Amino acid sequence: MVTGFSSRAAVSACSLCVAGLLALTPAAAAAGPRAAEPLPPGPRAAVPAPSLLYHSGVQVRPHRDTPQLPDVSALSWLVADAGSGEVLAASDAHRELPPASTLKTLFALTVLPALPSGLQHTVRYEELEDVGEGSSLVGVEEGHTYTVADLWRGVFLSSGNDAVHVLAQLGGGWQTTVRRMQDKARSLGALDTHVVSPDGYDAPGQVSSAFDLAVFGRAGLGNPDFARYCGTVEAPFPGDGSPYPIENTNRLLTGEDGVAPYPGIIGIKNGYTSNAGNTLVAAARRDGRTLVVSVLNPQAGGGLTVYEEARALLDWGFAAAGRVDPVGSLDGLRPPSRTPASATPVAAAVAPAQDEDPDWSGTAVVAGLTGLGAGAVALALRAKGGRSSRG
């Protein structure tokens, strides 16, 4: 047993041991805080701002140098980056409204992949007997043989409800097509759309939204056949003896009726019915960026206003690139937000509804190269002075 070893000597010995250990491990002196101390906060993962697309009114998250949004009289509209799916700005994006022939975008997404373009089909009377009165037509006739590609050009260029009816029958029948379209909409996260008539013809309960139509337009651009058809300006359509020319009714694409063609326009689909008013889904590409806009039922001006308001939104979207934070996304499902976050609501300029000349609806039908659509000689005269229900 060791005796006579004082406590002071023990402390000194321990101190020497500690000093020796630190000398052998110099990194210990530079180590972080002791375990009893909290670690400093590290970088936090970016938390996406909540979607504002279920909010009413205009929604935008501008930076200081963001250009001012144009005045848009449409009941609902949206502008989005087609690549990322980010919505740059919108107004009442999920408001349920009649879509008119813009619903044909969903019809094409659903049926186009299932039918070979070179398939030939001789049209039967029963395939055309339920085409709605006043529908826009391309001139499909009983007993004539068409390829599927012919019929799709009739759908995209002339908004032909007769072509839609034939393609729907080839795709399994009218009601089967309705169910398949509804399923397709749900699979894309488009929950505002209720399909009754695949051609977009006015029907009780048939609605969509600016959000859903932008989703359909964006998805369509991913299908090469859809993209080619929706961007075709003019094409021949089979007729008695020889084909006749049909021209796309999208004025931003053709530049008809005093509407200047939009630079970089890709196309997509326009529509008009007496219930829906004028509707449009349009896409354009500039400087490596593709934008898609949807505009439903402008309340100011005449039937060409839908093109000018879409033009203004495209111009704004390209100018605002990188200078706004998204207010939502076209990807997946976005539940309603309960907080306004950092949005800057903007009151949309809405003028009182005025009587419109349906002549300028975007589905007027005139034969030949007049630039107004369908090509069928029987439909060559415009119906001035009254509204019609077209797809």
Side-chain angles (χ1 to χ4, degrees):
M1 181 175 181
V2 179
T3 58
F5 190 71
S6 69
S7 60
R8 179 176 296 179
V11 172
S12 297
C14 289
S15 298
L16 289 172
C17 291
V18 172
L21 288 173
L22 290 176
L24 290 173
T25 57
R34 293 190 299 270
E37 296 179 356
L39 293 173
R44 295 184 179 180
V47 177
S51 172
L52 302 176
L53 296 180
Y54 283 90
H55 289 223
S56 61
V58 177
Q59 302 297 329
V60 61
R61 286 186 169 117
H63 298 179
R64 288 187 176 182
D65 59 347
T66 303
Q68 184 176 356
L69 274 167
D71 288 334
V72 178
S73 70
L75 295 181
S76 178
W77 57 263
L78 180 148
V79 54
D81 186 301
S84 67
E86 292 181 344
V87 178
L88 307 184
S91 177
D92 293 302
H94 286 284
R95 180 174 178 177
E96 296 179 357
L97 294 167
S101 282
T102 54
L103 191 65
K104 290 181 171 80
T105 56
L106 177 60
F107 173 72
L109 284 173
T110 305
V111 178
L112 197 158
L115 299 176
S117 62
L119 178 68
Q120 293 189 331
H121 175 70
T122 301
V123 175
R124 304 186 306 273
Y125 168 77
E126 54 268 27
E127 293 172 330
L128 299 174
E129 63 180 340
D130 292 330
V131 176
E133 182 180 356
S135 286
S136 55
L137 305 173
V138 66
V140 175
E141 296 186 13
E142 174 194 358
H144 283 223
T145 300
Y146 304 89
T147 66
V148 165
D150 291 330
L151 296 171
W152 281 119
R153 284 187 284 269
V155 171
F156 277 93
L157 276 68
S158 297
S159 204
N161 288 4
D162 46 358
V164 171
H165 276 252
V166 175
L167 288 166
Q169 291 301 321
L170 288 173
W174 194 250
Q175 291 305 317
T176 296
T177 300
V178 168
R179 291 192 295 271
R180 290 179 59 205
M181 289 174 65
Q182 197 69 68
D183 290 343
K184 183 66 173 179
R186 295 296 180 265
S187 73
L188 293 170
L191 305 184
D192 305 320
T193 298
H194 179 64
V195 182
V196 179
S197 183
D199 53 9
Y201 190 81
D202 282 341
Q206 179 152 277
V207 293
S208 190
S209 67
F211 178 89
D212 286 12
L213 292 171
V215 168
F216 303 151
R218 181 194 182 208
L221 294 179
N223 182 309
D225 292 329
F226 184 111
R228 182 176 67 256
Y229 289 131
C230 81
T232 299
V233 175
E234 182 182 292
F237 193 80
D240 287 325
S242 61
Y244 54 84
I246 58 175
E247 191 172 66
N248 204 305
T249 56
N250 182 348
R251 310 300 201 274
L252 289 182
L253 189 65
T254 64
E256 294 292 337
D257 302 318
V259 177
Y262 191 82
I265 188 71
I266 295 172
I268 302 189
K269 193 70 190 77
N270 58 311
Y272 171 83
T273 69
S274 55
N275 191 34
N278 289 279
T279 60
L280 176 67
V281 183
R285 186 167 181 81
R286 184 183 301 172
D287 299 327
R289 177 186 293 266
T290 300
L291 297 183
V292 59
V293 301
S294 49
V295 180
L296 299 182
N297 201 353
Q299 301 295 289
L304 299 179
T305 301
V306 71
Y307 300 105
E308 299 308 332
E309 294 193 351
R311 179 194 307 278
L313 289 172
L314 285 168
D315 284 345
W316 177 85
F318 286 118
R323 295 196 277 176
V324 292
D325 294 325
V327 295
S329 173
L330 298 180
D331 286 320
L333 306 181
R334 294 292 186 271
S337 169
R338 297 182 181 275
T339 58
S342 58
T344 301
V346 182
V350 179
Q354 301 177 13
D355 290 335
E356 296 176 358
D357 182 355
D359 210 10
W360 305 112
S361 68
T363 52
V365 284
V366 177
L369 291 171
T370 55
L372 296 176
V377 175
L379 302 173
L381 298 177
R382 288 180 173 180
K384 288 182 178 285
R387 290 180 179 267
S388 64
S389 182
R390 305 163 177 163

